[in-house]
């Protein structure tokens, strides 16, 4: 530990701490523009000047390491004068357009100039002008405002892994731009908007929409993937205007993906706002009572074994549990399934379907093996963690098959299940690497879990890791990368065919069911014949297109709801707005439907539902489920990672104009001389 004095206060700091960090530890506020705790140190802005004993001039505290015996002052006249001088330089070319700038009210330069600035400038020269740059459909540029902090450059290079933003020119003529005047090829690109301390980079879809003080702010979580990124939803009336990240070091740090941030305009497009009943082949608006009556009549005429239900990819756990109770108590059927495809899931223990190394823990891994997965598109935030690990530790990353650019280098080996067989039989060099590593991580994608040899691959690799001490309380090398936010919660609630068989999905393919209830499920692959389909959901997408009765539900921003993320953490999404028209919360629809069919509510209110849900989870998570591992044999197969339509992966994203623009931009990017 190092001992030093800040403003006459004695403190101790760890070796490697910067002077800026030491000062803040002592309670002193240090202004800054270029410094960011997640990025490398640049020392560009000089706003963080402090006085150090025996130094003839103030020092840049962000770039100076703390040393034993330092005596620092942060509030002297010398420091104040220096900061005012720096601020005058920063404002020399900055346009006076705060009233029309989208950064107004949230601008670091605006805030700090109020405290450290002066009332007028001594510069008489004309201000410079910098033409706008093109950075894609998400980022609006006004580079005349730029103060050359280089946060955006460092983020693109260090975190996003797409070194496409850089600086040209020097001094006053320096300009920040993309090298080839094209959109950033990163799913994290819009984080540069949050990082920009001035209004040089702002949100293009949000331009001139609202002021920060006009918006209602709700802290919640994201459901675009299974990561469970912490977000803040800002609403004006019932309309979601923007989504911003919240800091959570264990999950998303302070980043979110572009889909998380900008798919929100899909919340108001293609919405279902009234019940519909299909009459003579055409869907027509109906009342809730008529819709319930039509369903009740059809269900009462159908044998329970001929009724099946399917859970959607963004369904909260209250709805899942209500659907489970509805099928058990009202329908008297066990045909409720949460999987969209035939995925092998061992539900005996939670570790069999969780990301056990944890999102934050992946940074500690010393060997990462990707098996049938592309984390860049399946879990963008997790992928950034893997990149962070590689940059910090030079961790070896191996992938079975080439899955494209992951923003970090990795070794490609044959994409065959034969490799798995060789590993578990100790006939492959990877076997030795796994044994020698302290914290290996094997990441299974859903592409591997739907192979015929999936039981062999999972069970044998698990057995191999157990035998070699890689599965313990300290570290668990087994990681299942779920793609959907509802997946883990569904498995925790045992919402899938008995013993994880494919019985329900196979019967669906064979058209053995007469009535299907889709709880926000829009991704099933089957050909409809004579099935009577009931769709409970928010958007007019694939499920609604084949439905005979539509019951309009709510999205994740329009109802409170629990979700369990891929590492098994129970999180709560909070209601930020309300459903449009006659739409209702999903659990309420199920409760009312049960009342209409059996003349009895499942729950008297939502609190009773939540209590029942949490009690079930507490009991279930303590006990092993009755799961019998099926007999399996090895089959030699090729492992192909599913191609993901990243910008159109769910109903909200497909309804989003911004996501469509991103997709079109990505598809139409011009080829460069370095492209294959």
């Amino acid at each position: 530990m190092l001992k030093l004095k800040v403003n006459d206060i004695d403190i101790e700091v760890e070796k490697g701490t910067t002077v800026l960090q030491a000062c803040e530890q002592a309670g002193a506020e240090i202004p800054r523009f270029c410094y960011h705790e997640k990025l490398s140190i640049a020392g560009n802005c000089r706003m963080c000047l402090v006085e150090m004993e025996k130094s003839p001039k103030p020092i840049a505290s962000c770039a100076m390491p703390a040393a034993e015996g330092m005596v620092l002052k942060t509030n002297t006249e010398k420091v104040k004068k220096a900061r005012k001088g720096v601020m005058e330089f920063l404002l020399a070319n900055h346009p006076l357009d705060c009233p029309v700038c989208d950064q107004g009210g949230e601008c670091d330069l605006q805030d700090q100039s109020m405290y450290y600035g002066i009332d007028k400038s001594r510069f008489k020269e004309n201000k410079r002008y910098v033409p706008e740059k093109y950075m894609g459909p998400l980022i609006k540029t006004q580079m005349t405002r730029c103060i050359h902090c280089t946060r955006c450059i460092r983020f693109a290079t260090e975190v996003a892994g797409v070194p496409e933003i850089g600086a040209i020119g020097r001094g006053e003529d320096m300009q920040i731009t993309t090298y080839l005047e094209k959109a950033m090829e990163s799913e994290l690109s819009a984080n540069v908007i949050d990082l920009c301390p001035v209004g040089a980079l702002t949100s293009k879809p949000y331009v001139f929409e609202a002021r920060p003080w006009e918006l209602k702010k709700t802290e919640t979580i994201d459901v675009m993937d299974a990561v469970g990124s912490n977000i803040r939803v800002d609403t004006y009336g019932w309309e979601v205007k923007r989504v911003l990240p919240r800091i959570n070091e264990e999950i998303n740090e302070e980043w979110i993906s572009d889909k998380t941030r900008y798919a929100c305009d899909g919340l108001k497009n293609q919405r279902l706002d009234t019940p519909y009943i299909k009459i003579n082949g055409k869907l027509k608006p109906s009342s809730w009572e008529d819709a319930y009556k039509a369903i009740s009549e059809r269900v009462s005429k159908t044998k329970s074994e001929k009724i099946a239900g399917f859970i959607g990819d963004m369904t909260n756990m209250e709805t899942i549990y209500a659907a489970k109770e509805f099928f058990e108590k009202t329908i008297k059927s066990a045909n409720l399934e949460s999987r969209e495809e035939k995925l092998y899931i061992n539900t005996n223990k939670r570790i069999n379907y969780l990301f056990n190394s944890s999102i934050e823990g992946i940074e500690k891994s010393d060997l990462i093996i990707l098996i049938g997965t592309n984390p860049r598109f399946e879990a963008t935030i997790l992928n950034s963690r893997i990149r962070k690990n590689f940059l910090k530790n030079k961790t070896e990353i191996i992938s079975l098959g080439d899955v494209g650019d992951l923003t970090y280098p990795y070794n490609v080996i044959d994409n065959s299940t034969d490799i798995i067989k060789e590993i578990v039989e100790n006939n492959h060099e990877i076997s030795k690497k796994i044994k020698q590593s302290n914290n290996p991580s094997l990441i299974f994608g859903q592409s591997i879990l739907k192979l015929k040899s999936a039981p062999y691959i999972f069970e044998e690799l698990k057995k191999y890791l157990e035998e070699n001490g890689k599965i313990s309380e300290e570290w668990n090398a087994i990681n299942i990368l779920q793609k959907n936010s509802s997946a883990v919660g569904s498995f925790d609630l045992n919402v899938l065919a008995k013993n994880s068989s494919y019985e329900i999905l196979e019967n669906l393919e064979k058209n053995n069911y007469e009535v299907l209830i889709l709880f926000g499920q829009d991704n099933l692959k089957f050909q409809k014949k004579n099935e009577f389909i009931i769709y409970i959901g928010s958007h007019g997408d694939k499920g609604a297109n084949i439905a005979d009765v539509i019951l309009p539900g709510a999205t994740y921003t329009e109802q409170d709801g629990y979700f369990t993320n891929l590492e098994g953490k129970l999180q709560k999404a909070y209601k930020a707005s309300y459903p449009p028209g006659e739409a209702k919360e999903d659990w309420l629809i199920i409760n009312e439907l049960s009342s209409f069919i059996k003349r009895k509510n499942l729950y008297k209110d939502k609190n009773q539902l939540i209590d029942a849900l949490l009690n079930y989870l507490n009991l279930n998570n303590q006990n092993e489920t009755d799961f019998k591992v099926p007999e399996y044999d090895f089959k030699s197969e090729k492992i192909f990672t599913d191609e993901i339509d990243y910008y159109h992966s769910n109903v909200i994203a497909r309804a989003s104009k911004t996501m469509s623009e991103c997709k079109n931009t990505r598809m139409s990017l011009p080829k460069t001389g370095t492209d294959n």
Side-chain angles (χ1 to χ4, degrees):
M1 299 292 283
L2 303 173
K3 294 182 180 180
L4 57 157
K5 186 174 287 188
V6 179
N7 297 336
D8 299 324
I9 299 172
D10 293 316
I11 61 168
E12 289 187 5
V13 299
E14 293 181 1
K15 194 175 180 180
T17 303
T18 64
V19 169
L20 186 150
Q21 292 169 325
C23 291
E24 290 196 330
Q25 190 174 317
E29 185 178 335
I30 308 295
R32 84 291 300 266
F33 291 112
C34 69
Y35 175 80
H36 192 278
E37 57 273 11
K38 298 293 182 183
L39 304 175
S40 60
I41 294 169
N44 294 333
C45 72
R46 320 308 284 185
M47 198 63 204
C48 62
L49 295 174
V50 299
E51 191 176 345
M52 183 175 71
E53 192 178 66
K54 298 180 181 180
S55 174
K57 57 184 179 180
I59 62 169
S61 60
C62 70
M64 175 72 76
E68 182 72 30
M70 270 187 173
V71 179
L72 304 165
K73 299 283 187 180
T74 68
N75 53 8
T76 63
E77 284 301 316
K78 186 177 182 179
V79 171
K80 290 177 182 177
K81 187 179 179 182
R83 290 175 181 173
K84 285 182 181 290
V86 170
M87 180 60 71
E88 191 174 1
F89 276 118
L90 291 175
L91 294 175
N93 283 308
H94 197 82
L96 300 175
D97 61 351
C98 295
V100 295
C101 178
D102 270 327
Q103 196 86 348
E106 301 174 316
C107 178
D108 291 348
L109 185 66
Q110 196 177 54
D111 295 341
Q112 292 185 41
S113 66
M114 288 292 292
Y115 191 78
Y116 300 102
I118 54 178
D119 59 347
K120 58 184 177 181
S121 175
R122 289 174 288 180
F123 291 97
K124 305 297 182 185
E125 296 81 2
N126 291 332
K127 292 178 181 278
R128 65 167 184 177
Y129 169 76
V130 182
E132 286 195 31
K133 312 296 182 183
Y134 176 73
M135 292 190 182
L138 305 179
I139 305 168
K140 184 180 186 300
T141 63
Q142 191 80 290
M143 303 313 291
T144 305
R145 301 170 183 159
C146 180
I147 62 169
H148 305 158
C149 71
T150 69
R151 280 185 179 184
C152 54
I153 297 175
R154 285 174 283 150
F155 175 83
T157 305
E158 297 166 13
V159 180
V162 286
E164 297 169 340
I165 300 180
I168 57 174
R170 297 186 67 184
E172 189 181 55
D173 297 323
M174 177 177 163
Q175 296 183 28
I176 307 295
T177 181
T178 53
Y179 292 116
L180 299 172
E181 290 285 331
K182 66 173 188 175
M184 283 181 67
E185 290 189 57
S186 171
E187 296 73 37
L188 294 167
S189 64
N191 286 288
V192 299
I193 298 167
D194 300 330
L195 287 171
C196 184
V198 297
L201 304 177
T202 53
S203 174
K204 192 176 284 186
Y206 178 69
V207 63
F208 303 141
E209 284 287 323
R211 288 298 196 180
W213 54 85
E214 298 175 321
L215 302 172
K216 175 191 170 188
K217 302 168 179 64
T218 306
E219 295 186 348
T220 182
I221 60 162
D222 171 55
V223 301
M224 294 293 142
D225 53 31
V227 172
S229 299
N230 286 227
I231 59 173
R232 193 188 85 195
V233 175
D234 290 357
T235 54
Y236 188 87
W238 81 276
E239 187 179 343
V240 175
K241 287 294 185 181
R242 63 178 183 177
V243 173
L244 298 175
R246 286 192 296 130
I247 297 176
N248 187 322
E249 294 295 341
E250 295 181 354
I251 299 176
N252 58 302
E253 298 183 280
E254 52 191 277
W255 322 122
I256 54 173
S257 70
D258 291 348
K259 184 165 60 177
T260 297
R261 188 186 298 265
Y262 285 118
C264 60
D265 66 326
L267 292 167
K268 62 181 180 182
N269 298 330
Q270 295 179 230
R271 288 302 302 270
L272 301 170
D273 58 1
T274 190
Y276 288 86
I277 299 176
K278 187 170 283 184
I279 302 172
N280 298 325
K282 291 186 177 180
L283 287 168
K284 295 186 177 180
S286 155
S287 67
W288 280 99
E289 187 174 351
D290 288 344
Y292 289 150
K293 187 178 179 181
I295 295 169
S296 180
E297 287 176 356
R298 186 56 189 261
V299 168
S300 61
K301 295 176 184 177
T302 309
K303 294 180 179 178
S304 60
E305 61 269 18
K306 292 292 183 180
I307 303 174
F310 296 89
I311 302 296
D313 55 342
M314 296 187 292
T315 309
N316 61 46
M317 293 181 70
E318 286 93 331
T319 303
I320 299 170
Y321 189 74
K324 177 183 171 73
E325 292 283 279
F326 176 77
F327 263 74
E328 289 177 357
K329 296 178 179 179
T330 306
I331 304 294
K332 309 287 186 187
S333 170
N335 300 328
L336 186 61
E337 178 64 79
S338 60
R339 295 169 294 179
E340 305 166 356
E341 300 175 283
K342 297 176 183 176
L343 301 177
Y344 176 73
I345 303 291
N346 183 336
T347 57
N348 181 38
K349 294 181 180 178
R350 291 189 86 211
I351 64 169
N352 296 330
Y353 52 84
L354 295 182
F355 197 91
N356 295 290
S357 298
S358 78
I359 298 167
E360 184 182 28
I362 200 71
E363 295 181 21
K364 302 174 185 175
S365 182
D366 52 4
L367 175 67
I368 298 173
I369 303 173
L370 306 175
I371 308 173
T373 182
N374 182 334
R376 178 173 177 178
F377 296 135
E378 294 174 19
T380 305
I381 296 298
L382 174 67
N383 195 65
S384 71
R385 293 274 197 174
I386 297 174
R387 171 175 169 80
K388 186 178 177 182
N389 183 357
F390 173 78
L391 292 176
K392 186 179 179 181
N393 305 315
K394 301 301 177 190
T395 300
E396 184 177 7
I397 303 168
I398 302 168
S399 174
L400 272 67
D402 190 347
V403 293
D405 182 13
L406 295 178
T407 71
Y408 45 82
Y410 58 93
N411 300 321
V412 179
I413 59 175
D414 188 27
N415 63 329
S416 171
T417 56
D418 295 325
I419 300 294
I420 307 292
K421 192 170 189 296
E422 290 176 17
I423 291 172
V424 298
E425 293 177 352
N426 289 308
N427 294 327
H428 199 278
E429 61 178 348
I430 293 177
S431 305
K432 187 178 180 182
K433 290 180 179 180
I434 291 174
K435 289 179 179 178
Q436 290 176 343
S437 63
N438 294 318
N439 299 327
S441 293
L442 278 68
I443 303 178
F444 296 80
Q446 293 194 1
S447 302
I448 198 81
L449 297 177
K450 61 185 184 183
L451 295 179
K452 291 179 180 177
S453 54
Y456 174 90
I457 294 169
F458 178 81
E459 299 297 343
E460 289 298 316
L461 274 175
K462 182 187 173 187
K463 194 184 297 179
Y464 179 78
L465 293 168
E466 284 175 338
E467 290 171 353
N468 289 280
K470 307 305 178 184
I471 297 179
S472 63
E473 290 185 4
E474 288 75 30
W475 184 262
N476 192 329
I478 285 283
N479 297 289
I480 307 297
L481 182 50
Q482 307 288 355
K483 289 191 288 190
N484 300 335
S485 59
S486 65
V488 174
S490 297
F491 302 148
D492 280 346
L493 294 171
N494 290 316
V495 178
L496 67 173
K498 191 175 181 182
N499 207 40
S500 295
S501 70
Y502 307 138
E503 181 184 358
I504 298 174
L505 290 165
E506 287 171 349
N507 283 330
L508 177 69
E509 291 173 358
K510 296 173 184 176
N511 300 102
N512 288 341
Y513 296 118
E514 295 176 10
V515 176
L516 299 177
I517 306 177
L518 308 181
F519 300 95
Q521 176 55 263
D522 292 86
N523 301 319
L524 287 177
K525 296 173 184 175
F526 80 106
Q527 290 295 321
K528 179 184 178 181
K529 284 189 177 180
N530 299 314
E531 296 92 347
F532 183 83
I533 297 178
I534 303 152
Y535 179 75
I536 302 173
S538 59
H539 285 71
D541 203 84
K542 299 174 184 177
N545 288 339
I546 60 172
D548 295 282
V549 179
I550 295 174
L551 304 176
T555 64
Y556 73 104
T557 61
E558 297 162 1
Q559 56 185 334
D560 292 340
Y562 286 99
F563 291 86
T564 303
N565 75 344
L566 54 80
E567 61 181 3
K569 285 183 178 175
L570 187 66
Q571 300 174 293
K572 189 172 183 179
Y574 288 93
K575 185 175 182 176
S577 60
Y578 45 88
E582 297 179 46
K584 300 178 180 181
E585 294 188 16
D586 297 351
W587 79 272
L588 185 60
I589 296 172
I590 298 169
N591 203 39
E592 289 179 354
L593 186 56
S594 177
S595 176
F596 213 92
I597 294 173
K598 290 289 186 180
R599 307 295 179 209
K600 186 179 179 182
N601 286 333
L602 290 170
Y603 310 99
K604 66 178 183 181
D605 54 30
K606 194 170 183 178
N607 289 331
Q608 189 183 15
L609 166 60
I610 292 171
D611 289 342
L613 165 67
L614 296 178
N615 286 336
Y616 184 92
L617 288 174
N618 288 334
L619 290 171
N620 191 54
N621 292 343
Q622 292 172 7
N623 302 314
E624 296 182 5
T625 59
D626 185 18
F627 180 87
K628 184 181 178 183
V629 176
E631 293 183 7
Y632 54 80
D633 295 310
F634 171 76
K635 294 178 178 64
S636 182
E637 299 173 84
K638 287 291 182 182
I639 301 171
F640 295 103
T641 305
D642 292 340
E643 288 191 16
I644 297 173
D645 190 355
Y646 176 76
Y647 293 110
H648 282 171
S649 61
N650 57 60
V651 293
I652 297 174
R654 287 193 285 272
S656 167
K657 292 180 180 178
T658 306
M659 292 294 97
S660 295
E661 287 179 21
C662 289
K663 183 179 179 179
N664 294 336
T665 302
R666 181 68 63 88
M667 291 173 67
S668 61
L669 281 173
K671 293 287 183 180
T672 68
T674 57
D675 290 330
N676 296 321

